[in-house]
Amino acid sequence: MKCFITFDGIEGCGKTTQMRLAEAWLRERGAPVLATAEPGGTPLGRKIREILLNRGSWAIGAEAELLLFAAARAQHVREAILPALERGEWVLCDRFADATLAYQGFGRGLDAGFIRTLNAFSAQTLKPEMTLLFDLPVEAGLARAKKRASGVRPEAAEDRFEQEERAFHGRIREGYLSLAAAEPERFRIIDGAGSVETVHREVCRCLETLPQIPFREGGRA
Ligand code: Z5A
């Protein structure tokens, strides 16, 4: 019953919160699930994540940034995602190739055609069955991220992307919406501004439309 679903959107859109809830919801129904994230999901990916999200200790140009995300994805797909799908698991992924088009393409202005080629190469042409795009105004997302960063843990302070100007995040939001408009059969746009519970109900409604949705014997768990 394998199925690959990605959770995406601008900073602070709530995708991580929602992916965790979706993971629990699927497990309750007896589905085997791999919940993973980009950049990350493998030891190499986590090292690359540390490099990418640094807070200014070294320069990373847009081209190098793109290639590092692609490298993390290539290892993630080979080492974690494809094997889980081959085992028949559901794979939930916090960000995937759409994030590269949104951030490095629409955000940084790198060539979208080249990014698509690189995405296909690094993902071994794997595409999600469904992409949940959590949409909300940039100000609302950044306010959530700021609130989280103002917590006590120093490692939770603003990362390199959170420090970008508002216009950068605006281009990314518009970019995601245009990606969704171009592939309506794959994308589901979810209003991320609602409460955690409201958004979760909407996520479940989307998941229930998938043919792979698991049922226990005798009905839904
Ligand atoms: N990036 C890239 O440039 N290119 C790529 O190819 C890839 C990534 C793959 C790290 O991503 C950066 O990498 C990211 C894009 C770039 N930079 N930015 N911006 P990440 O996904 O690891 O980090 P993130 O974007 O900062 O996401 P996050 O920290 O996981 O946040 P989130 O998933 O959007 O939201 P959350 O953690 O679920 O919630 C954020 C806060 O809001 C938290 O305190 C929650 O409790 C709260 N929250 C969540 N939902 C709600 C609702 N509904 N109401 C109120 N409050 C809420």
Side-chain angles (χ1 to χ4, degrees):
M1 276 299 164
K2 66 181 182 184
C3 192
F4 181 36
I5 301 170
T6 57
F7 293 66
D8 223 321
I10 61 164
E11 182 66 34
C13 66
K15 63 191 167 43
T16 306
T17 303
Q18 292 301 328
M19 191 181 83
R20 291 199 187 112
L21 292 170
E23 178 189 4
W25 187 83
L26 282 167
R27 286 192 194 285
E28 276 169 21
R29 280 154 182 76
V33 183
L34 171 73
T36 185
E38 289 206 355
T42 66
L44 177 65
R46 284 185 282 278
K47 282 277 172 216
I48 293 176
R49 184 181 182 90
E50 277 171 37
I51 293 170
L52 278 166
L53 301 189
N54 77 83
R55 296 178 193 104
S57 50
W58 54 80
I60 304 179
E63 298 81 5
E65 182 182 271
L66 170 64
L67 295 171
L68 285 166
F69 279 116
R73 174 158 318 120
Q75 192 63 27
H76 193 204
V77 168
R78 173 182 291 274
E79 184 180 328
I81 297 178
L82 286 178
L85 291 172
E86 276 155 23
R87 290 193 300 270
E89 295 175 13
W90 285 62
V91 176
L92 308 184
C93 191
D94 190 341
R95 297 199 186 279
F96 195 62
D98 298 305
T100 316
L101 276 166
Y103 279 82
Q104 281 64 54
F106 289 92
R108 302 274 191 230
L110 295 180
D111 181 69
F114 177 68
I115 295 175
R116 285 183 192 280
T117 304
L118 190 62
N119 276 350
F121 175 75
S122 58
Q124 300 188 32
T125 71
L126 176 70
K127 274 203 137 189
E129 266 79 33
M130 182 181 277
T131 295
L132 301 173
L133 174 60
F134 299 90
D135 182 54
L136 82 174
V138 166
E139 289 71 19
L142 291 180
R144 284 183 191 169
K146 262 204 170 12
K147 194 170 159 200
R148 183 186 48 191
S150 66
V152 285
R153 290 181 304 123
E155 69 273 21
E158 280 190 326
D159 68 31
R160 216 165 49 81
F161 287 91
E162 287 164 357
Q163 291 165 356
E164 288 285 348
E165 84 281 22
R166 190 230 168 268
F168 174 78
H169 294 283
R171 289 196 298 280
I172 288 161
R173 183 184 184 200
E174 291 310 313
Y176 272 123
L177 290 171
S178 72
L179 293 175
E183 277 188 83
E185 63 296 337
R186 173 164 69 89
F187 277 90
R188 301 290 180 277
I189 301 176
I190 294 180
D191 180 5
S195 70
V196 170
E197 296 71 25
T198 308
V199 180
H200 175 57
R201 275 197 296 278
E202 191 52 32
V203 169
C204 296
R205 265 197 288 277
C206 292
L207 295 181
E208 279 171 338
T209 65
L210 285 163
Q212 297 93 331
I213 201 73
F215 291 86
R216 283 194 203 278
E217 245 185 330
R220 184 160 304 170

